[in-house]
Structure formats: C-alpha cells, structure tokens
C-alpha cells in the first residue's frame, strides 16, 4: 500500500520526501499513519529498483532538499500494479481506497473496468463480520447494539459502493 501510494503521487509530479509524506498521510493517515521510519526505507527500495530518481535542489531556508521523480520504469510498474492488484488489494478496504486513488493512471478503460469488476464480485458475495456456523448474520439477527451498528454501517457503505461501481462500470463500458 505504501509503495503504491509513493508511486501514485510521484506519477502526478516530482515531490520532496516531506511533501510526499504529507500527501500519503492525508490519504491513509486516519488508518495507518506514515512514519519516517517506514517511508524513507520504502523510498530507498523503490530507488534501488530503478523506479524512482533523486535529485538535490537548494532548500527554501538552508539545507538542500531531495526531490523524487518517477522514472519511466516506475510509471510502468505503477500501471502494472494498478492493472494486476493482489486479492488483498481488492478485499481490504484501506488498500482498495489507495488503489482507487490512483486507478485513473491506468488509462485503459477496459483494464480499469476489470479491476472494478473484481471489487464488485467481492462485494456481491454474502459476507458478515459475525456468523452462526457458516451462515453470515444480518444486522437484524444480532442482539448486541454495537455489533448491529457495525453491520448497519457496513451494509450502508457497501450499498453505496455497489451503486458507484455499477454506475462507473456502465460509463466505462460506454
């Protein structure tokens, strides 16, 4: 998720590490804050893989700052990651939102639609946070008001996402 966010933001424009961290935190910070101890090693891995290039510019006040740019190989890698997301990228809501934030960079409408169809198929499967044996429980079947709240909120957000997915797929399919 972190590497995808780094590649996605740098696809838009070159950034220095501090600005990149601010943007990633704005996207995912409420769920998973980005620490420097995780961001900079990820940047280094991507740089070592030839996906990022680093240049030095004079700092606004004193110290020079490093600006990160996505290489052409990095652009191809981002598009590949977007076109071929892992199953976890499709099923984990936080990873899904990160993927969705950059899916526009995959310029091929049929490829975008294929990714959305995978999410749609996942959401159309009967599921719950709570089960009786193998049977998923609905909000109406749960006595605990807090668990009922989880299921009620999840059902509402799933309905909204299903509507959005179907509408977006219809527009992508022409």
């Amino acid at each position: 998720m972190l590497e995808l966010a780094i590649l996605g933001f740098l696809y838009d424009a070159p950034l220095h590490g501090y600005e990149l961290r601010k943007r990633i935190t704005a996207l995912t910070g409420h769920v998973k804050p980005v620490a420097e101890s995780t961001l900079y090693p990820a940047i280094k891995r991507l740089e070592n893989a030839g996906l990022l290039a680093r240049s030095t510019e004079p700092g606004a006040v004193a110290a020079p700052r490093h600006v990160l740019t996505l290489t052409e190989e990095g652009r191809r890698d981002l598009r590949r990651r977007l076109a071929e997301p892992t199953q976890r990228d499709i099923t984990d809501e936080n990873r899904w939102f990160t993927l969705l934030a950059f899916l526009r960079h995959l310029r091929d409408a049929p490829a975008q639609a294929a990714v959305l169809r995978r999410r749609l198929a996942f959401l159309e499967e009967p599921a719950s946070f709570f089960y009786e044996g193998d049977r998923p429980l609905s909000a109406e079947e749960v006595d605990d008001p807090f668990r009922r709240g989880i299921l009620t909120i999840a059902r509402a957000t799933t309905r909204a996402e299903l509507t959005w997915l179907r509408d977006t797929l219809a527009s992508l399919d022409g």
Side-chain angles (χ1 to χ4, degrees):
M1 183 172 77
L2 178 59
E3 288 183 1
L4 183 66
I6 292 167
L7 295 171
F9 282 119
L10 291 177
Y11 193 99
D12 293 329
L15 298 168
H16 58 86
Y18 176 74
E19 183 62 30
L20 181 60
R21 183 172 177 230
K22 278 181 19 183
R23 291 183 188 198
I24 293 171
T25 298
L27 178 64
T28 64
H30 67 286
V31 176
K32 187 177 181 183
V34 180
E36 287 183 22
S37 61
T38 9
L39 177 62
Y40 291 104
I43 288 171
K44 193 67 177 164
R45 278 193 310 276
L46 294 170
E47 189 178 12
N48 289 340
L51 305 179
L52 306 180
R54 181 188 310 247
S55 61
T56 304
E57 293 181 352
V61 178
R65 60 186 196 166
H66 299 283
V67 176
L68 302 165
T69 306
L70 202 57
T71 64
E72 195 51 47
E73 188 176 341
R75 290 178 173 283
R76 281 192 300 274
D77 188 70
L78 173 66
R79 289 189 298 265
R80 180 196 54 77
R81 290 175 192 232
L82 294 170
E84 303 167 6
T86 67
Q87 185 61 17
R88 188 169 170 218
D89 293 337
I90 297 296
T91 60
D92 180 277
E93 186 172 270
N94 300 317
R95 294 174 74 94
W96 170 248
F97 284 153
T98 302
L99 177 74
L100 201 54
F102 304 108
L103 195 57
R104 67 189 169 92
H105 296 312
L106 185 59
R107 303 233 185 265
D108 181 51
Q112 291 170 333
V115 173
L116 296 184
R117 280 192 182 84
R118 286 183 59 197
R119 178 69 176 182
L120 179 65
F122 165 70
L123 290 177
E124 287 177 334
E125 287 291 316
S128 178
F129 296 104
F130 309 106
Y131 288 81
E132 187 174 284
D134 288 340
R135 188 178 66 78
L137 295 175
S138 68
E140 297 77 22
E141 297 175 294
V142 175
D143 293 332
D144 180 325
F146 307 106
R147 286 185 172 194
R148 190 176 324 113
I150 291 170
L151 293 171
T152 301
I153 293 165
R155 180 172 46 193
T157 57
T158 298
R159 282 184 187 150
E161 187 175 354
L162 285 168
T163 299
W164 175 82
L165 281 166
R166 290 177 181 127
D167 291 348
T168 303
L169 282 166
S171 72
L172 288 172
D173 291 339

